[in-house]
Each structure stands twice: as structure tokens, then as C-alpha cells.
Amino acid sequence: MAEELISPQVRDYLDRLVPPRPAEMQAMEAYARETNFPIIGPASGYFCYQIARMLGAKRVFELGSGYGYSTAWFARAVQENGGGTVHHVVWSDDLSQKARKHLGALGFGDIVQYRVSEAVQALRETAGPFDIIFNDIDKHGYPDSLPVIAEKLRSGGALIIDNMLWHGGIFDESDHSPDKEGVVKFTQMITTDPGWIATLVPIRDGLIVAYKK
Ligand SMILES: C[S@@+](CC[C@H](N)C(=O)[O-])C[C@H]1O[C@@H](n2cnc3c(N)ncnc32)[C@H](O)[C@@H]1O
């Protein structure tokens, strides 16, 4: 995989602009550093929280939630927006249990709904519409997730999807891995579909934020 595209200096600067987090979230960040677990991190998390506040989101669906770090940002926004539901979906029971512990400690027990499942299938089976759908599953699954997301997101809602720079892999013509191809194909699909207004924002590993017309 290619080197990080965003310099550590810029990345750390953006992370330092994020206001202090509660001790429980700091512990989640420390765990990711220690174990190399791929969470979205403070700058992308805060940006997700900002978008959710700006939209007044009350119904959020996450695909590929890990141990709940990105969920915590959405749950905080939903709580501040007056309450609602954030769906936490991951296919590992262990991660789902860890998320319950962290998110309960953060006071989001009544907001987050947990499901251990393949995430696109869970979205298919869950009644929408949603104000925000956040996608962070294995990258080869991105293209097939788009029709399901388009069906479940409300008009005027936002899709946020992570790792769209794929650590620079998008520029590596010798990389034909399914994950790289998934990122490239998804980017092409969403930026050429007239049903969406989509921008790739180069925070950390690149977030596409797409507004559904
Ligand atoms: C990148 S990590 C998630 C990090 C989380 N969004 C955060 O920022 O805190 C993705 C997680 O989703 C799981 N996952 C990947 N593809 C999935 C799928 N199709 N369905 C359910 N879980 C999936 C992975 O095993 C991993 O635990």
C-alpha cells in the first residue's frame, strides 16, 4: 500500500483542532493506537458530528461500526438534536459487546441499537428512511452497497463514506486488489450519478460526503 497522502503534520494539526473528548472516548482512541484498529479518528469523527448537527439528524445508520468510536460521534449529535436512533452494525459479537460497554459509559445507551450482522444486509432489512448513512465496511463491498443506501436515505440526507483515498492506493496503477478497485469504482459511481452532490474531503484517509437530491 502507498504511503499516507496527508502528512503527519497536517493530520496532527487537524486532530488538535478538535475540542477535548470525554475520558471514555480518549480511551477508545488510545486503544486504536495501541492495537492499530482502524477508527475514523478525532478530525473525521468531529466532522461527522458536525454534519449530523447541521442536518438535525435523528436517524443514523452505520455500516461497519467497530467498537463504537464513530458511533459515539453520531450518538452525541443525535442526543444534542433532541434524541433518536443510531444503528451500530458489525459482524463481530466481540466488537458489538465492546461498543455496548463504551457507548453505555458515554450515556448513549438509549440512542444506539446494536446488531451483529453483515451490514448491507442489515440495512436492507431495517426500515428507513435515514437522515445519515455512514459506510465504513470492507472496501470491496462499497459498490454493491450504493443501491441499498440510495433506497434507505431520505432526500436531503447525507451519505458519508470513509477511506476514499485508500492511503494513496487509488494512484497505484499496479494495485488491482478488490478493496482498491471497490474504492475507485464507488468514487466513479457516486461522482457521476446525477442523483447525488458528492465531494471527496481529504481529511485523514478521505471522506466522501454525498448529499442525496
Ligand atoms: C474500519 S472498522 C470500523 C471503525 C468504525 N467505523 C470507527 O471508525 O470507529 C470496520 C469494522 O467493520 C467490520 N466490517 C467490515 N465489513 C463489514 C460488513 N460488510 N458487515 C459488517 N461488518 C463489517 C470490520 O470487521 C471492522 O470491525
Side-chain angles (χ1 to χ4, degrees), residues 22 33 38 65-66 70 80-81 110 133 135 148-149 157 165 185 194 210:
R33 280 193 299 275
S65 302
S70 51
E80 292 173 8
N81 287 340
D110 55 338
I133 297 180
N135 195 356
V148 187
I149 290 168
L165 293 172
K185 184 171 176 196

Side-chain angles (χ1 to χ4, degrees), residues 53-92:
R53 288 301 314 271
M54 287 165 68
L55 282 180
K58 288 173 172 272
R59 298 159 299 177
V60 176
F61 197 100
E62 266 198 348
L63 301 107
S65 302
Y67 57 87
Y69 181 76
S70 51
T71 322
W73 285 109
F74 286 113
R76 178 179 160 193
V78 166
Q79 191 174 62
E80 292 173 8
N81 287 340
T85 304
V86 179
H87 293 263
H88 174 286
V89 186
V90 73
W91 51 24
S92 147

Side-chain angles (χ1 to χ4, degrees), residues 37-40 64-66 68-70 89-91 95 117-119 134 136-139:
F37 191 95
I39 61 168
I40 53 171
S65 302
Y69 181 76
S70 51
V89 186
V90 73
W91 51 24
L95 288 172
S117 166
E118 196 291 313
F134 175 65
D136 200 7
I137 59 171
D138 286 350
K139 313 311 156 193

Side-chain angles (χ1 to χ4, degrees), residues 176-192:
H176 301 292
S177 65
D179 284 333
K180 181 268 179 92
E181 299 291 344
V183 168
V184 170
K185 184 171 176 196
F186 184 91
T187 304
Q188 197 267 335
M189 286 165 77
I190 197 137
T191 54
T192 55

